[in-house]
Amino acid sequence: MRRKAWMPTFVLSLVALSATIYLVHYLVFADAEHLLKYGLHELAFVPMEVLLVSLVLHRFLERREKRERLEKLNMVIGTFFVEMGSDALSRISAFDTDDPPLPERYSPRANWTEKEYAAAIGAVHHVSDGVDAAHGDLVELRDYLRQNRDFMMRMLENPNLFEHDEFTDLLWALVHLSEELSRRPSLADLPESDLFHLSGDMRRAYGLLLARWLHYLEDLRTRYPYLYSLAIRTNPFDPNASPVVE
């Protein structure tokens, strides 16, 4: 509130300055008709000036601010995948009973185009029933998510995430999966009904992770080719991947 306290004084100062200039003009030239005529002429352009500033300029600044926030968001998403996202995807894919698993079927190549990325992203949003909680090591997954819980919560506190509902949903899906696994006294000998429930939670996180991973790689392809090259060469779902450039 204190920062905006100067606004009324500033507005009144401008009005007073304008009135003073008009008064000086009248005292020097004593031509009230001229002042009235050209004063109304200038006043007629005020609505157009307001339109230009409030709509065109405001929209330009808003678009620029949004672009800057999206750039910051991409940096946050990049940090997420470097720190834990790619590893989390690898661990959850161990529960994918499809042959081959989804990440291998839609594993990007260095020469993928925007069209190929769009097709893959659309496909992985519909994760099949192949994800089975009984197929992998739930204890290992629980411990891994628990170790990274603080990191995910710090991510959720980032104000830039409000621009991107899908990534926020992904973080909450992982946090929820971590909670589900951590709240059970034991993950051994779970009934089929509970395994079915956990499989649903895993499918939700799995599909969001896959889609965001592909979005992340596509963004690297267009913005950071050198990072994209490394990401493709170290793709955990490509059996022939190698960081060595040949």
Side-chain angles (χ1 to χ4, degrees):
M1 294 300 292
R2 292 181 179 178
R3 294 181 179 179
K4 295 184 178 181
W6 58 269
M7 184 64 73
T9 304
F10 179 69
V11 172
L12 291 174
S13 299
L14 291 178
V15 172
L17 179 61
S18 180
T20 302
I21 294 173
Y22 274 114
L23 179 61
V24 171
H25 184 283
Y26 176 74
L27 293 175
V28 172
F29 298 103
D31 190 352
E33 183 180 352
H34 177 83
L35 279 176
L36 181 61
K37 178 181 178 180
Y38 285 95
L40 290 175
H41 179 269
E42 294 296 331
L43 189 62
F45 282 94
V46 171
M48 295 299 297
E49 292 174 355
V50 172
L51 177 66
L52 177 64
V53 173
S54 63
L55 293 183
V56 180
L57 184 59
H58 176 72
R59 183 166 297 181
F60 170 77
L61 294 175
E62 190 178 55
R63 187 176 300 175
R64 179 180 176 182
E65 181 183 359
K66 183 176 181 179
R67 183 172 64 249
E68 291 176 351
R69 291 189 66 183
L70 287 176
E71 289 177 357
K72 293 178 182 178
L73 175 62
N74 288 333
M75 294 175 62
V76 172
I77 294 175
T79 301
F80 167 76
F81 276 102
V82 169
E83 290 295 324
M84 69 160 291
S86 298
D87 196 18
L89 181 56
S90 297
R91 291 172 184 271
I92 297 179
S93 68
F95 295 84
D96 190 344
T97 60
D98 288 340
D99 188 22
L102 273 176
E104 290 186 25
R105 276 185 280 161
Y106 299 102
S107 189
R109 299 291 183 266
N111 59 349
W112 265 29
T113 64
E114 183 179 348
K115 185 177 180 179
E116 288 172 305
Y117 270 103
I121 291 170
V124 299
H125 268 297
H126 306 286
V127 180
S128 70
D129 293 335
V131 177
D132 186 357
H135 185 69
D137 190 341
L138 289 175
V139 174
E140 182 183 14
L141 179 61
R142 178 200 62 192
D143 293 344
Y144 174 77
L145 293 176
R146 184 184 290 169
Q147 291 169 6
N148 288 277
R149 178 181 173 82
D150 289 342
F151 173 75
M152 290 187 289
M153 297 306 297
R154 288 196 303 271
M155 282 268 170
L156 285 168
E157 294 172 358
N158 193 310
N160 292 308
L161 295 190
F162 295 125
E163 288 285 336
H164 206 289
D165 292 337
E166 186 175 297
F167 184 60
T168 305
D169 290 343
L170 164 59
L171 290 174
W172 279 121
L174 289 173
V175 170
H176 175 72
L177 178 59
S178 175
E179 281 291 299
E180 287 278 3
L181 295 174
S182 299
R183 291 296 182 93
R184 287 160 174 76
S186 173
L187 295 175
D189 301 322
L190 293 175
E192 289 188 10
S193 56
D194 198 35
L195 289 172
F196 179 79
H197 176 82
L198 289 174
S199 297
D201 291 331
M202 294 174 68
R203 278 196 296 272
R204 182 187 306 109
Y206 191 42
L208 291 169
L209 258 175
L210 279 169
R212 183 42 44 196
W213 178 63
L214 290 170
H215 275 297
Y216 164 66
L217 291 179
E218 185 183 18
D219 182 66
L220 291 184
R221 181 181 68 88
T222 56
R223 292 162 54 84
Y224 305 105
Y226 59 97
L227 293 177
Y228 180 67
S229 173
L230 178 61
I232 293 298
R233 284 183 281 116
T234 56
N235 184 349
F237 305 106
D238 183 356
N240 300 317
S242 170
V244 179
V245 178
E246 298 180 356

